Amino acid sequence: MRHRSLLSCAVAAIALATAVPALAEAPAASPATASSQAREAFDYNDMISANRLGDPQVSPDGRWVVYSLTTTDVAANRRAGALFVIDLQNPGEGRRLAINEGGANTARWGSDGKLYFLSGRSGSSQVWRAEADGTAPVQVTNLPLDVNAYRLSPDAAQVAVSLAVFPECETLACTVDRNKAVADDPSTGQTYDRMFVRHWDTWNDGTQNHLFVVPTAGGRDPVWVTRGFDGDTPSKPFGDESEFTFTPDGQGIVFSAREAGKSEPWSTNFDLYQVAIAEPGRLTNLTDANDAWDTGPVYSPDGKTLAYRAMARPGFEADKYSIFLRDVATGQTRQIAADWDRSADTLQWSKDGRTLYTTAGDVGQTRIFSIDVRNGSVVPITGPGHVSAFQQTPSGFVFAQDTLTRPSELFVKTFRGREMPARITNVNPQLDAKAFGEAEQFNFPGWNGETVHGYVIKPANYVEGRKYPVAFLIHGGPQGSFGNGWSYRWNPETYAGAGYAVVMIDFHGSTGYGQAFTDSISQHWGDRPFEDLQKGWAAAQAKYGFLDGDNACALGASYGGYMINWIAGNWPGEFKCLVNHDGVFDIRGMGYGTEELWFTEWEYGGTPYENPQGYEQFNPVHHVANWRDPMLVVQGDLDYRIPTAQGLSTFTALQRRGIDSRLLFFPNENHWVLKPANSLQWHNEVFGWLDKYLKPAN
């Protein structure tokens, strides 16, 4: 089934660089070795039931770190979160805080040394405060609406909270009454006068996220500081408190938001606004000159400089986030580390104000970097692995890091020390005894002769000399990456545990390899990345003799699902089976049916009516006549990014052509499969499909 000419070409031209095993510097992970070959293999049941660590928060004195831990009860089809604390001076097993008994999440330390958190123990989600040891909880806010995000002022005397309100209401009571009226109304029709009628997985109910400021000691009604603004802060659906902050004197708020108006579905113009608490609704746009995305405001310790992240190109959600510094007194702004070709994530200032710390994708890893604010020099702090969150301590960092063979754990490391990070948690000890597949990163010349990277993973309990069937995984985004990190949805080690080898290619368009590499996929969905996948597949087979290239299936979701449909029509017969999760079938239909129009309009070069050729050039619908490979189609009905009609059309085309196919439909899932029971069903169906074609009964 392989393209022999392509394989021969790749063998002649390729220069593969063998990296150290993916987890060589990550003390959390232990790749499968000869000594582990008798171990039970890690599988998707282990993944679904694994504990999930996140959100580390270090106390002002640097002694304590609080983190969240989510456990899963698969049989009951639910997950539960709790807060734990570790003494960094005497690290040991995390202690579960007593405040969990009433429900607690989103822990944040105040400068007063108290621990603040969200809890629903009063009947709605409100801000609470406890002692540093997690005792004596006291309610801080008593609002008639749920608090969905919050941030403390520098002196902890005030808290800014985000509430979902009807912006035309004058009071919070008005929003409460309108919510009740809607709930009590027997009619169900909804009317809209502008777009974003639905977004991600919810229909627009008319509310917006707005900011209110409340004294933590009580005694004053909340001040609606964003009154009159037409937009959400934090942004929907995934925004958080990193999008707003107090000014250093506690007298104002700076927040990132996009004006809704009529253009919200095709605009990425988020700006930074400043508002004085004493003058609610009187907003000053600090970044009006930039029509692209501005976000993540953080003040320097001396309060003289505002750092933030900004994109340069309007309408492009995957543009590089560059770092800018704004002089608070003069308003003058300058970019730092302009030559650093990585996209910065959330920013943190060092205590002395000389350094900014951030995370960024970097050739299959996600590292912490330090950036000198004077000269812009950039230094990596961490090595292999995926850092999802970090906090500073007096001597260095506490950070959450995961890898291909380990979910997130907490590590500590000094600021620039060369020592290995020390792991201070073990929230999944049951995985210590499991066998994982050994991963290796490789590279090859892809489209335009440019270097492309990928990973190959051996099956768990690999036996030298054997050939193994292959799961060829294609990432979504398309501006994403399948690198050295853990996933609770598309986890390559679950395939390794089931006896499959895994191949993953970070094709042109992937993140972490420079912005030009990321840019190269736009308006080229079906040629440049497709060429990389073909060459990468050939290169992997040429290098790794244990890959059975004649016994492989290709799988992908979102853009990866699009590519499965593209492969079906443009590379038929290469794979024994295909798996398409929430993939695009008809690009023109996607252009009119999706919600975030900025995405399709950037990726395809305009609107469907302005540039119809851009929507048709790489449209899978035009190649259905070539389809012949068996395909499993998965679709979530709450997926408004790639709507249900796309998955149903794919399945219809397969059935009408008489191709062996199966539809797995989730009425209560969005673009992802999140519920434990549904995740289990998803994996049972997907692995059953692979086994049917790659492991037929003798």
Side-chain angles (χ1 to χ4, degrees):
M1 291 184 185
R2 291 173 291 176
H3 284 222
R4 305 297 179 181
S5 59
L6 181 61
L7 178 60
S8 301
C9 215
V11 172
I14 201 161
L16 288 162
T18 304
V20 295
L23 309 170
E25 295 182 30
S30 301
T33 61
S35 63
S36 68
Q37 290 188 4
R39 295 180 180 179
E40 182 179 1
F42 170 82
D43 65 18
Y44 58 79
N45 292 289
D46 299 316
M47 180 201 70
I48 295 169
S49 61
N51 296 324
R52 306 182 181 198
L53 177 150
D55 198 21
Q57 298 290 323
V58 174
S59 60
D61 60 7
R63 178 169 182 179
W64 307 98
V65 58
V66 171
Y67 60 94
S68 66
L69 192 67
T70 301
T71 57
T72 301
D73 186 334
V74 179
N77 195 29
R78 66 171 180 262
R79 294 191 173 94
L83 298 175
F84 287 74
V85 66
I86 289 177
D87 184 345
L88 293 174
Q89 293 181 5
N90 300 286
E93 186 175 352
R95 174 173 58 86
R96 192 177 190 272
L97 294 175
I99 54 176
N100 290 296
E101 301 312 315
N105 64 83
T106 319
R108 299 292 182 265
W109 293 96
S111 59
D112 56 2
K114 306 291 188 181
L115 185 63
Y116 292 76
F117 60 97
L118 291 180
S119 176
R121 67 187 69 204
S122 66
S124 64
S125 176
Q126 300 296 319
V127 179
W128 288 67
R129 177 179 60 236
E131 297 301 316
D133 60 1
T135 61
V138 175
Q139 188 168 349
V140 174
T141 62
N142 186 19
L143 301 166
L145 299 171
D146 285 337
V147 174
N148 58 55
Y150 74 98
R151 182 180 285 277
L152 293 161
S153 62
D155 61 1
Q158 303 179 94
V159 59
V161 298
S162 176
L163 309 176
V165 298
F166 290 102
E168 61 272 21
C169 278
E170 292 294 323
T171 65
L172 295 181
C174 168
T175 289
V176 174
D177 291 342
R178 284 191 57 177
N179 283 333
K180 185 177 186 305
V182 170
D184 293 342
D185 191 342
S187 64
T188 59
Q190 302 176 83
T191 58
Y192 298 93
D193 298 311
R194 62 187 188 184
M195 292 184 62
F196 260 172
V197 298
R198 61 183 190 177
H199 192 189
W200 188 248
D201 59 3
T202 58
W203 285 80
N204 190 338
D205 64 359
T207 65
Q208 292 178 337
N209 293 337
H210 275 245
L211 295 179
F212 296 75
V213 173
V214 183
T216 54
R220 190 186 74 196
D221 290 336
V223 178
W224 186 346
V225 295
T226 56
R227 182 193 294 274
F229 180 75
D230 183 16
D232 291 283
T233 185
S235 58
K236 297 177 181 178
F238 303 119
D240 57 26
E241 79 271 17
S242 68
E243 297 180 13
F244 60 93
T245 189
F246 278 89
T247 55
D249 61 7
Q251 300 303 305
I253 298 284
V254 173
F255 65 94
S256 172
R258 169 183 54 202
E259 285 196 62
K262 297 285 188 180
S263 64
E264 187 177 21
W266 57 87
S267 169
T268 60
N269 186 18
F270 283 77
D271 284 311
L272 296 183
Y273 295 87
Q274 184 167 336
V275 57
I277 298 170
E279 299 179 290
R282 295 187 61 180
L283 310 180
T284 300
N285 190 334
L286 304 180
T287 58
D288 192 37
N290 181 29
D291 290 334
W293 209 314
D294 303 292
T295 193
V298 287
Y299 281 96
S300 60
D302 62 10
K304 296 180 179 181
T305 306
L306 177 67
Y308 64 95
R309 298 177 295 129
M311 295 182 179
R313 288 172 285 182
F316 186 25
E317 68 175 11
D319 199 7
K320 171 189 170 184
Y321 269 125
S322 298
I323 302 171
F324 289 82
L325 302 179
R326 176 185 173 89
D327 186 288
V328 172
T330 67
Q332 292 183 339
T333 301
R334 65 183 178 94
Q335 183 180 354
I336 61 168
D339 294 333
W340 184 45
D341 199 7
R342 295 293 182 265
S343 186
D345 207 336
T346 304
L347 302 174
Q348 291 183 25
W349 285 92
S350 63
K351 303 307 179 187
D352 61 10
R354 297 179 178 178
T355 305
L356 279 167
Y357 298 107
T358 189
T359 56
D362 184 41
V363 194
Q365 321 295 329
T366 300
R367 313 179 197 272
I368 300 174
F369 291 87
S370 69
I371 303 165
D372 190 306
V373 298
R374 295 160 298 182
N375 59 30
S377 65
V378 181
V379 177
I381 301 296
T382 57
H386 170 259
V387 176
S388 58
F390 71 97
Q391 290 269 290
Q392 295 175 65
T393 69
S395 60
F397 302 95
V398 173
F399 58 95
Q401 179 176 271
D402 54 274
T403 63
L404 277 165
T405 61
R406 193 77 183 197
S408 276
E409 300 281 1
L410 289 184
F411 296 79
V412 293
K413 188 183 190 301
T414 58
F415 283 111
R416 289 203 177 186
R418 296 184 177 274
E419 82 285 356
M420 293 282 287
R423 193 175 80 185
I424 60 172
T425 60
N426 187 18
V427 300
N428 283 293
Q430 76 282 4
L431 299 183
D432 294 341
K434 296 291 183 177
F436 288 85
E438 183 179 347
E440 183 171 283
Q441 192 177 37
F442 70 104
N443 63 57
F444 59 93
W447 171 77
N448 203 32
E450 297 173 7
T451 300
V452 176
H453 291 78
Y455 274 95
V456 167
I457 304 176
K458 293 178 179 178
N461 295 319
Y462 167 79
V463 177
E464 190 72 36
R466 285 185 54 184
K467 280 188 173 290
Y468 290 89
V470 184
F472 188 74
L473 304 184
I474 305 171
H475 72 68
Q479 294 89 358
S481 174
F482 268 162
N484 184 16
W486 186 267
S487 173
Y488 285 98
R489 295 189 303 274
W490 285 81
N491 189 314
E493 287 290 349
T494 61
Y495 299 87
Y500 295 102
V502 180
V503 176
M504 307 182 295
I505 306 298
D506 265 359
F507 46 79
H508 276 81
S510 300
T511 53
Y513 303 92
Q515 192 59 41
F517 193 89
T518 300
D519 290 348
S520 62
I521 195 172
S522 297
Q523 301 183 49
H524 288 278
W525 275 32
D527 55 0
R528 297 171 181 177
F530 182 50
E531 183 176 335
D532 288 343
L533 291 170
Q534 290 182 309
K535 289 182 174 179
W537 177 224
Q541 292 176 72
K543 180 172 177 61
Y544 301 99
F546 58 84
L547 300 177
D548 186 351
D550 293 324
N551 200 30
C553 286
L555 310 86
S558 194
Y559 173 81
Y562 158 86
M563 183 52 71
I564 292 299
N565 283 339
W566 189 250
I567 286 172
N570 292 274
W571 202 10
E574 183 64 26
F575 299 100
K576 282 190 173 180
C577 71
L578 304 170
V579 176
N580 170 358
H581 180 122
D582 289 0
V584 179
F585 171 77
D586 179 3
I587 290 178
R588 183 173 65 173
M590 170 79 170
Y592 286 111
T594 192
E595 12 83 290
E596 293 182 350
L597 296 181
W598 65 77
F599 175 74
T600 52
E601 291 177 12
W602 182 275
E603 291 303 303
Y604 310 135
T607 64
Y609 51 86
E610 291 170 328
N611 183 29
Q613 180 58 24
Y615 286 72
E616 304 300 347
Q617 182 178 8
F618 300 116
N619 196 342
V621 74
H622 298 312
H623 303 277
V624 172
N626 298 331
W627 287 18
R628 59 184 169 121
D629 301 319
M631 187 187 301
L632 172 66
V633 181
V634 185
Q635 181 68 45
D637 201 31
L638 300 182
D639 183 0
Y640 304 149
R641 180 62 36 81
I642 300 178
T644 299
Q646 296 284 324
L648 290 179
S649 297
T650 302
F651 183 63
T652 297
L654 291 160
Q655 290 280 302
R656 189 65 181 85
R657 285 190 47 76
I659 298 170
D660 188 22
S661 50
R662 187 175 178 88
L663 173 66
L664 174 59
F665 175 74
F666 291 105
N668 59 347
E669 297 286 2
N670 56 30
H671 200 54
W672 304 326
V673 176
L674 302 176
K675 295 173 175 59
N678 287 344
S679 180
L680 181 60
Q681 183 183 14
W682 187 96
H683 284 87
N684 284 334
E685 289 287 346
V686 168
F687 281 84
W689 192 254
L690 266 62
D691 290 348
K692 175 181 177 179
Y693 288 97
L694 303 185
K695 297 179 181 179
N698 295 328

